[in-house]
Amino acid sequence: MCSFVVLTDELRPSGGPVQTDIDPRNLIGRKAFDRHGTKIGTIDEVYLDDATGVPEWAAIRTGLFSRDAFVPLEPSELVEGALRIPFDRSLIKDAPDFGVGRHLSPEQELQLYHHYGLDVTPPPPLPDRDFGHLAGTDDA
């Protein structure tokens, strides 16, 4: 689940400090562009993962009378003061509309991940390593 950022001096969720290269306070009000450099709109809100406090989604106001579109902050990047989103404008504008100003449920996040074709599977477990003999065994 993700919650949106409320602009205050204290942005640290109970889980700890925001752990990302993108500071959510510096995103709101910035312009957003698609993979080709076409302007999409202006960032209205940033959504943090409830468990980690990491910014995951941004809501982009796509026009004066249009809705906000949710975009993933990973793999997006800040370039020359603007958010560069590595997807086409049409895909961004067609993202599911959940409204803004409230939590994103896990199901809504899953829909967004699928919409953008992003991998939602957990990383594979690390392989077991043989670090030698266990203490207290007779193998020497």
Side-chain angles (χ1 to χ4, degrees), residues 65-83:
F65 298 108
S66 58
R67 66 180 182 87
D68 281 46
F70 287 93
V71 298
L73 289 174
E74 177 65 36
S76 300
E77 60 185 345
L78 271 178
V79 177
E80 298 177 5
L83 187 67

Side-chain angles (χ1 to χ4, degrees), residues 42-127:
T42 304
I43 300 171
D44 265 354
E45 294 178 351
V46 176
Y47 288 72
L48 307 179
D49 182 280
D50 287 340
T52 65
V54 173
E56 284 198 21
W57 301 96
I60 309 293
R61 173 65 58 188
T62 59
L64 188 59
F65 298 108
S66 58
R67 66 180 182 87
D68 281 46
F70 287 93
V71 298
L73 289 174
E74 177 65 36
S76 300
E77 60 185 345
L78 271 178
V79 177
E80 298 177 5
L83 187 67
R84 181 67 51 106
I85 303 155
F87 299 102
D88 289 328
R89 185 174 194 257
S90 59
L91 181 68
I92 294 166
K93 287 189 138 208
D94 288 340
D97 182 6
F98 303 119
V100 293
R102 53 190 138 194
H103 276 76
L104 287 176
S105 71
E107 294 80 19
Q108 291 169 328
E109 281 189 88
L110 191 59
Q111 281 183 283
L112 288 168
Y113 279 115
H114 287 304
H115 176 77
Y116 287 105
L118 297 172
D119 187 14
V120 293
T121 59
L126 296 174

